Structures are given as structure tokens and as C-alpha cells.
Amino acid sequence: MNTASSISVPAEPYEFDFVPAETALVIIDMQRDFLEPGGFGEMLGNDVSQLRRTIEPNKKLLAAWRKAGLQVIHTREGHRPDLGDLPPAKKVRGRGKSCIGDVGPMGRILVRGEAGHDIIPELYPLPSEPIIDKPGKGAFFATDLHAILQNLGIKQLIVTGVTTEVCVNTTVREANDRGYDCLVPEDCCGSYFPEFQEMGLKMIKAQGGIFGWVSHSSKVLAALGTTLL
Ligand code: C5J
């Protein structure tokens, strides 16, 4: 169903029709500690190249979104320096040698204000783009994201970032329950684990799009290009 003000992107399970002025690009947790060689993610033994392949497509999508004058929102996972918002269960989970709040390779791990907590330079937010600092995996839990989206008149989301099966999936599920339509461009989100990348995307688009739609950034760019750029 395409109306005069909406544009259509080929997607699974079927085309995603969206109204650009009512659609935000939400970039999840593209933080140095998750993506950069020498960061916390790599220190845990993860292959950061699995996430770094998402940088270039995100850069292109972000540039196009900005050029079209559309809304961009960034998120970061992390905690207050006093760790007052860190549930003890989250702190000890994994029984690793280092945990959240300890000093890691790029400052205190997942603590706001530390170098590793910040967004990678390639996708650095503009001053006009809200940054949602979230203590959990979902971007709606204990944040003002829903209020901000409501105030901006946003009804649909293009969700990108890392990791596909954790913070991207949790955010898409939270958004879906709050009435937002979500499209996930598969090349713009990444997992350290290829099998979770595949299944994380399948879970979103299964059962007629139970949580949302999945497409590719080239298709979003093509749709934007024919109308807004
Ligand atoms: C995110 C995580 N951002 N995997 N965090 O997905 O712990």
C-alpha cells in the first residue's frame, strides 16, 4: 500500500512502505569498545571484523539520511560512572576476568564518558542528532527514546548497528510492542557470530514480519534516491 507521501523499499517478508518525515534512522551501539581492534569486544576474543563490515554501509546510509534532512538517532550501551544503574546480575554475568566498570583497553568498560564507550569516528553524531545512553540491551528500557520519537512525530524506524541478535533485536522487539514499524537493513547490522547474524534477522522477518522487515541498504538508498536525493 503506497500513498503519495510514502516510499516503498523491497524487503522481506514484503515491501516496507514508509513516510520519510515520520521515519528515523536509529543506529545502535556503534561504539569503539565493540568495533575497534584493541577494544573490549576483541579483548573478549571476538572477531571485530564481523562488526566492522557494517561501518561502510552505515556511513553511506547515514550520509544519505542526513542529506535528505531526515531524523537520525544514535544509541550507546553503558553506565553511569558510579555504576548506580548497573544491575549486579549484569555486572557479574559471564564470570570474566574483567567486567563492566573495570579498567579495560579504552578506559572503564561500558562507562559513560570513557573513550571505549563513545561512538566510532566514522559515524560520529552531529550535535543536532540525539544520543540515547541506555543501560540495557533495548534502547527503550530506562531511556527517553519513546518520548523523543513521539515528540518528533516518528512512527517508523530504520534500525542498524550492533549486535544483531542482542541490542538490535531487543530494540526492534521493544519498538514493535510500542507500535513502531521497523526495517533492518541486513548489511548495516552485525554480529560477532555468523549463525546469530542469520538467525537474528530470520527472527525479525518470520511469521509475516512478526517484529519487522529486513532489507539491504542498497534498496533503501535506491528508494531514497528516486524521491528525496
Ligand atoms: C550490544 C552486547 N550492543 N552485545 N551489546 O549488542 O552486549
Side-chain angles (χ1 to χ4, degrees):
M1 191 216 28
N2 214 341
T3 64
S5 58
S6 76
I7 58 180
S8 194
V9 179
E12 291 180 276
Y14 53 87
E15 72 280 0
F16 181 74
D17 294 329
F18 72 101
V19 178
E22 296 176 354
T23 304
L25 173 63
V26 179
I27 306 178
I28 303 287
D29 300 358
M30 292 293 279
Q31 292 164 253
R32 297 185 60 196
D33 251 339
F34 292 133
L35 284 122
E36 290 196 350
F40 179 54
E42 190 174 76
M43 191 182 106
L44 294 176
N46 294 307
D47 172 10
V48 292
S49 71
Q50 294 287 343
L51 305 194
R52 292 190 66 77
R53 62 162 187 78
T54 70
I55 296 175
E56 212 39 50
N58 265 293
K59 257 177 85 173
K60 288 198 181 113
L61 188 57
L62 177 60
W65 213 254
R66 284 174 174 163
K67 191 171 172 203
L70 303 178
Q71 185 66 49
V72 179
I73 302 216
H74 305 260
T75 75
R76 296 184 293 208
E77 179 178 353
H79 297 274
R80 298 162 49 99
D82 61 19
L83 303 185
D85 59 354
L86 176 61
K90 182 175 179 183
K91 184 168 171 61
V92 299
R93 188 73 49 79
R95 296 183 175 173
K97 273 199 291 283
S98 301
C99 59
I100 296 170
D102 291 349
V103 176
M106 292 187 197
R108 292 180 69 202
I109 296 161
L110 290 190
V111 169
R112 295 175 191 161
E114 301 288 336
H117 172 264
D118 211 353
I119 291 171
I120 57 169
E122 295 91 330
L123 300 173
Y124 211 75
L126 297 177
S128 60
E129 295 169 351
I131 302 174
I132 306 296
D133 276 319
K134 61 188 187 61
K137 304 305 182 194
F140 289 85
F141 169 69
T143 73
D144 50 8
L145 176 59
H146 187 50
I148 290 173
L149 295 174
Q150 296 287 295
N151 293 338
L152 292 167
I154 297 294
K155 299 187 176 122
Q156 296 177 288
L157 309 177
I158 310 279
V159 185
T160 75
V162 300
T163 61
T164 307
E165 77 280 15
V166 184
C167 292
V168 172
N169 240 275
T170 308
T171 298
V172 166
R173 290 167 189 233
E174 288 182 330
N176 182 61
D177 280 346
R178 287 165 177 78
Y180 298 95
D181 289 330
C182 296
L183 174 74
V184 178
E186 59 191 358
D187 55 319
C188 291
C189 62
S191 168
Y192 294 122
F193 309 100
E195 66 273 32
F196 292 166
Q197 171 75 2
E198 189 189 342
M199 293 314 293
L201 294 167
K202 272 192 178 164
M203 285 179 189
I204 291 168
K205 66 188 176 187
Q207 300 182 69
I210 194 153
F211 300 123
W213 286 255
V214 174
S215 186
H216 192 277
S217 67
S218 59
K219 297 181 180 166
V220 181
L221 291 171
L224 275 184
T226 53
T227 49
L228 294 178
L229 299 178

